[in-house]
Amino acid sequence: MATVSLNSGLILAAILFVIGFVGLITRRNLIVVLACIEIMLNAAGLAFVVAGARWGRADGQVMFLFVLAMAAAEVAVGLALAIRFRQALGRLDIDAADEMRG
Amino acid sequence: MTTLFYIAGAVAIIATIMVVTRSQLVHALLYLVISLFAVAVVFFTLGAPFDAALEVIVYAGAIMMLFVFAVMLLDVRAQKPPRMPRSAWAGPVILIAVLLAELVYGITLHDHALAGGSVGPTQVSAALFGPYVLGVELASMLLLAALIGARHVAAEPTGAAAGEADAGTTGPEEAPEVPPAPEGVQG
């Protein structure tokens, strides 16, 4: 069985990560920003799985499980913050929260 | 398997680009589900069927369900924030494209074939509860902290809610020590 090369998997992970990053800096909707963070975490997990498949070991998949748990925790807190954001500021535009003028 | 990998990878890239470019929030979330399914197929072709199943169950199931519930709660149709002007993001995007090109070039310098074969749930579980058992404990504590934190952050400040309604001051100091709600109902 012809197998996928290591490079293809890593390049796919890199492309997905960069697309997520571009979305992170170009979108202003808070929900979409959180979704883009999910894309980036997923791409990082893909890189772990590809690296684990390179050696035929289970460690890469275990690391993906930890990334998965972390992403679930992050999105729970992030969406709770989005709800409070909307209640406090009336909209979901992340530019609404620039009172510190960072 | 190689063909499946490339097809699923192309679907993942296209769907992810659509996530970033759609202006309708719900459309973007639907494309995100497609992207996650495609990545699950990629996992399967890489010989990680357990992670493929978890990707579908946890990512495309639970996490996207959270997103959809947040969209329902927030009534995002009312106002769509305008796009950022192109002048603001063109520079960073060009620079990150340069970095991506460098990264792809660096990756292609050395190529290796994957080991082939499939690493099933048995081996993953043996590793997870063998050498990585401390990580499992830490992940459980992280999830518990996220649960309590999300409940505390999203809780309606009940004492201040009535006052805010008529005073209309949703100022920066909403409920500094007002919320007495979150302590009794942690169960």
Side-chain angles (χ1 to χ4, degrees):
Chain A
M1 177 178 78
T3 56
V4 184
S5 77
L6 178 68
N7 286 353
S8 313
L10 289 181
I11 289 172
L12 176 63
I15 290 173
L16 288 179
F17 188 88
V18 168
I19 293 172
F21 181 76
V22 169
L24 183 70
I25 62 176
T26 57
R27 298 298 297 264
R28 290 204 285 198
N29 190 320
L30 185 57
I31 304 282
V32 179
V33 167
L34 282 173
C36 288
I37 294 174
E38 289 302 308
I39 293 171
M40 293 168 72
L41 284 173
N42 196 28
L46 174 62
F48 271 119
V49 172
V50 171
R54 160 72 179 88
W55 304 103
R57 298 287 303 270
D59 304 69
Q61 297 192 46
V62 172
M63 282 300 158
F64 176 76
L65 293 187
F66 292 149
V67 171
L68 197 68
M70 201 262 293
E74 176 262 335
V75 77
V77 177
L79 288 173
L81 282 173
I83 291 174
R84 293 294 298 145
F85 190 100
R86 172 66 192 274
Q87 285 174 355
L89 299 171
R91 51 199 178 128
L92 275 176
D93 188 352
I94 56 175
D95 282 352
D98 66 344
E99 287 196 347
M100 292 179 76
R101 305 288 170 198
Chain B
M1 277 305 196
T2 314
T3 316
L4 283 183
F5 172 84
Y6 285 114
I7 292 174
V11 170
I13 290 174
I14 292 170
T16 311
I17 289 175
M18 298 299 265
V19 172
V20 174
T21 54
R22 293 303 92 181
S23 59
Q24 281 282 341
L25 179 55
V26 177
H27 297 176
L29 290 182
L30 286 177
Y31 275 113
L32 181 55
V33 175
I34 300 297
S35 168
L36 295 174
F37 278 141
V39 174
V41 176
V42 168
F43 284 163
F44 190 77
T45 60
L46 289 173
F50 186 53
D51 280 359
L54 281 180
E55 172 97 6
V56 172
I57 293 171
V58 178
Y59 257 118
I63 293 180
M64 295 315 297
M65 185 64 72
L66 270 182
F67 271 103
V68 173
F69 266 113
V71 170
M72 282 166 52
L73 285 174
L74 288 175
D75 183 25
V76 291
R77 221 172 13 151
Q79 17 79 21
K80 277 192 295 185
R83 292 299 186 91
M84 208 172 276
R86 176 168 299 159
S87 58
W89 55 262
V93 168
I94 291 171
L95 292 179
I96 197 71
V98 172
L99 279 184
L100 175 65
E102 276 192 352
L103 180 60
V104 169
Y105 174 72
I107 288 173
T108 51
L109 284 183
H110 308 284
D111 200 2
H112 302 276
L114 295 186
S118 170
V119 181
T122 312
Q123 291 155 277
V124 176
S125 305
L128 191 62
F129 292 103
Y132 290 101
V133 70
L134 182 63
V136 175
E137 297 294 331
L138 289 176
S140 73
M141 291 174 67
L142 174 72
L143 286 172
L144 180 64
L147 172 70
I148 296 174
R151 189 251 174 266
H152 180 72
V153 169
E156 193 95 15
T158 51
E164 275 178 8
D166 33 272
T169 59
T170 59
E173 83 295 340
E174 76 271 8
E177 66 267 18
V178 189
E183 72 269 16
V185 283
Q186 212 58 268

